[in-house]
Amino acid sequence: MTSSPQPPTEPPEPSAHAGHAHDGHGHSSGHSHSHGHGPAAPVSKHLRKVIAAVLIPFAVAVLVGLVVLWPGGTPGHERTGVGFDRQTQQAKVVSLEHVDCKSVNAAQVPAAGGASAPSGGEARGAQTGECKKATVEIGSGPDKGRTFVEIVQPGAPRQLADGQEVVVAYAPDAPRDLQYSVIDVNRKLPLAVLAGIFALSVVLVGRMRGLFALIALVVSFGVLTLFILPAILQGSNPLVVAVVGASAIMLIGLYMCHGLTARTSVAVLGTLVSLLLIGLLGSVFIDWAFLSGNTDDNTGLIHGLYPDIDMSGLLLAGVIIGSLGVLDDVTVTQTSAVWELHQADPSMGPRSLYRAAIRIGRDHIASVVNTLVLAYAGAALPLLLLFSIANSSMGSVANSELVAVEIVRTLVGSIGLVASVPVTTALAALVVSADRPASPAVAPAAGPVRGRGRRRKR
């Protein structure tokens, strides 16, 4: 539905669109397909000035916020050796042999048939007590070339293979034989190939627009990793940092992908209003529900390393940033729908434009909200399974902070998405119908039809 905007210097489309009959519900009927659903006609200089008067101060404020809050880098700390906060190196399994678990003093394997007993091939290995003895060679760091032995039991969730690339943790304070241990496998190659396929498909289908979208994606991650995360760790208010960072991502991403046009500017305004609503609702309900934001080992580790961080503010920042990507999609689609409807029948007034475009928006709302809820449910599926195993009621599950956080995140984001449709549609309808720079030029060519349109409008 989104069309390709172009700079406002391009001349408007011919008046072939003027021959569309228009019904009382905002639909165009019996129209000719001689027009192309291409770039929207540029708006007048006066309207561009009005839009600029609103957005330029906002962009300047975002830039000032970036300068004032820009961190000097991630603050240092002494590593705890817990979770992600430990030194790691790259390594490789250079040899693998099967040995009896008793000969290497491995812990006893759970008895077959128990709650934690493995199945299939793992069950046969457990019965025979057959372990794997892997020789691992360090491939990076000061101890490059050093080897150590890792014992893998038959019921272990992570099984090693000969020649496999792995990630090892380094504990400098441990005895020499216990300083290194395998903590994960190296997935960089498959992830890099998948990212390459994604980038190639985006460029092949989207062409230059797809290329700009990829550049905007890189810039977004740059703002996230170079500004938002270090600024929060440095002690800045997470909500303020999230608002400034999300606004910068929104401005850069939307204008880079969709062009510096009035249509994009309307989408920016709709996104901004929706983000403000999400921030307000999120702040109210996170405080009202007493959500601390400290719900798992990772957030607990963050709070332990940086006790001055406002964890509830960090939760709200996550809600705002997480909602931004879907908001962009909704607001751009709605703005493009209004522009295309106006191009199809320039005689449509703001009310008719709004009614026609809001019908498109309702379909978008239904699919987007469902997608958002299922995305959060899928991410929390292991947690939901634990509650199901415990035979917990739906009320007790929803009341737990782990699930309540996801409920608030989902519903606040969904309310912002729902609100973005009528807000953006109304803004776009008002802007595009209040500006008709080509009316005097096209009136003679389409006199009879446009006359009927004006009589109907009155």
Side-chain angles (χ1 to χ4, degrees), residues 247-272:
S247 299
I249 291 173
M250 174 184 66
L251 290 171
I252 295 171
L254 285 177
Y255 282 118
M256 183 174 290
C257 292
H258 303 285
L260 193 64
T261 64
R263 179 164 61 182
T264 308
S265 298
V266 172
V268 168
L269 288 173
T271 304
L272 177 61

Side-chain angles (χ1 to χ4, degrees), residues 228-416:
I228 295 178
L229 299 181
I232 292 175
L233 292 178
Q234 200 177 50
S236 300
N237 186 294
L239 177 58
V240 176
V241 171
V243 169
V244 173
S247 299
I249 291 173
M250 174 184 66
L251 290 171
I252 295 171
L254 285 177
Y255 282 118
M256 183 174 290
C257 292
H258 303 285
L260 193 64
T261 64
R263 179 164 61 182
T264 308
S265 298
V266 172
V268 168
L269 288 173
T271 304
L272 177 61
V273 172
S274 303
L275 282 179
L276 292 176
L277 176 62
I278 289 173
L280 177 63
L281 286 175
S283 179
V284 169
F285 283 95
I286 286 174
D287 289 341
W288 193 6
F290 296 99
L291 298 178
S292 65
N294 191 356
T295 54
D296 55 25
D297 293 340
N298 293 327
T299 54
L301 179 59
I302 293 172
H303 185 64
L305 293 173
Y306 300 95
D308 294 333
I309 292 180
D310 180 9
M311 298 304 293
S312 60
L314 185 63
L315 172 61
L316 179 56
V319 173
I320 292 173
I321 295 172
S323 303
L324 178 60
V326 188
L327 270 178
D328 289 350
D329 174 46
V330 173
T331 55
V332 169
T333 300
Q334 284 305 113
T335 307
S336 297
V338 173
W339 245 263
E340 291 292 341
L341 287 168
H342 177 69
Q343 274 193 287
D345 188 353
S347 66
M348 293 177 70
R351 182 171 297 181
S352 297
L353 281 172
Y354 179 83
R355 288 175 177 173
I358 202 67
R359 282 191 285 272
I360 301 172
R362 292 190 186 107
D363 291 337
H364 208 177
I365 285 174
S367 60
V368 167
V369 170
N370 192 45
T371 300
L372 198 63
V373 172
L374 291 179
Y376 283 128
L381 197 58
L383 176 64
L384 297 178
L385 282 174
L386 286 178
F387 282 111
S388 179
I389 291 171
N391 292 322
S392 300
S393 66
M394 289 298 295
S396 61
V397 170
N399 189 65
S400 66
E401 184 168 3
L402 276 171
V403 177
V405 163
E406 299 303 326
I407 291 176
V408 170
R409 193 197 313 269
T410 303
L411 296 183
V412 168
S414 298
I415 291 171

Side-chain angles (χ1 to χ4, degrees), residues 213-230:
L214 291 177
I215 295 174
L217 181 63
V218 173
V219 172
S220 299
F221 274 105
V223 174
L224 182 65
T225 57
L226 298 178
F227 171 71
I228 295 178
L229 299 181

Side-chain angles (χ1 to χ4, degrees), residues 130-220:
E130 187 179 75
C131 292
K132 293 179 180 179
K133 182 179 180 181
T135 302
V136 182
E137 181 179 345
I138 309 297
S140 62
D143 292 330
K144 182 178 181 179
R146 176 179 163 185
T147 61
F148 68 95
V149 173
E150 180 87 6
I151 303 299
V152 184
Q153 297 189 49
R158 185 188 305 110
Q159 296 293 317
L160 301 180
D162 192 10
Q164 188 173 31
E165 301 282 345
V166 294
V167 179
V168 296
Y170 174 56
D173 297 333
R176 179 175 174 81
D177 293 341
L178 302 176
Q179 286 182 333
Y180 285 97
S181 61
V182 177
I183 59 171
D184 211 341
V185 299
N186 191 329
R187 304 179 180 89
K188 291 182 179 179
L189 181 59
L191 292 179
V193 171
L194 182 59
I197 295 173
F198 164 73
L200 184 62
S201 61
V202 168
V203 173
L204 286 177
V205 176
R207 299 186 180 180
M208 287 301 298
R209 185 62 55 82
L211 179 60
F212 280 120
L214 291 177
I215 295 174
L217 181 63
V218 173
V219 172
S220 299

Side-chain angles (χ1 to χ4, degrees), residues 32-186:
S32 169
H33 289 275
S34 60
H35 67 280
H37 293 282
V43 298
S44 67
K45 182 182 293 186
H46 171 72
L47 193 54
R48 290 202 299 269
K49 287 181 179 179
V50 173
I51 295 173
V54 176
L55 287 179
I56 289 179
F58 169 66
V60 171
V62 171
L63 182 60
V64 171
L66 287 172
V67 173
V68 171
L69 297 173
W70 192 268
T74 304
H77 69 278
E78 186 177 349
R79 289 184 179 272
T80 62
V82 178
F84 291 103
D85 191 41
R86 49 186 167 181
Q87 300 182 43
T88 59
Q89 301 292 345
Q90 303 299 314
K92 182 179 181 180
V93 178
V94 292
S95 67
L96 191 70
E97 58 178 312
H98 295 271
V99 296
D100 186 77
C101 290
K102 294 181 180 179
S103 67
V104 291
N105 295 322
Q108 185 176 0
V109 178
S116 58
S119 60
E122 293 181 357
R124 290 191 296 273
Q127 293 171 1
T128 59
E130 187 179 75
C131 292
K132 293 179 180 179
K133 182 179 180 181
T135 302
V136 182
E137 181 179 345
I138 309 297
S140 62
D143 292 330
K144 182 178 181 179
R146 176 179 163 185
T147 61
F148 68 95
V149 173
E150 180 87 6
I151 303 299
V152 184
Q153 297 189 49
R158 185 188 305 110
Q159 296 293 317
L160 301 180
D162 192 10
Q164 188 173 31
E165 301 282 345
V166 294
V167 179
V168 296
Y170 174 56
D173 297 333
R176 179 175 174 81
D177 293 341
L178 302 176
Q179 286 182 333
Y180 285 97
S181 61
V182 177
I183 59 171
D184 211 341
V185 299
N186 191 329

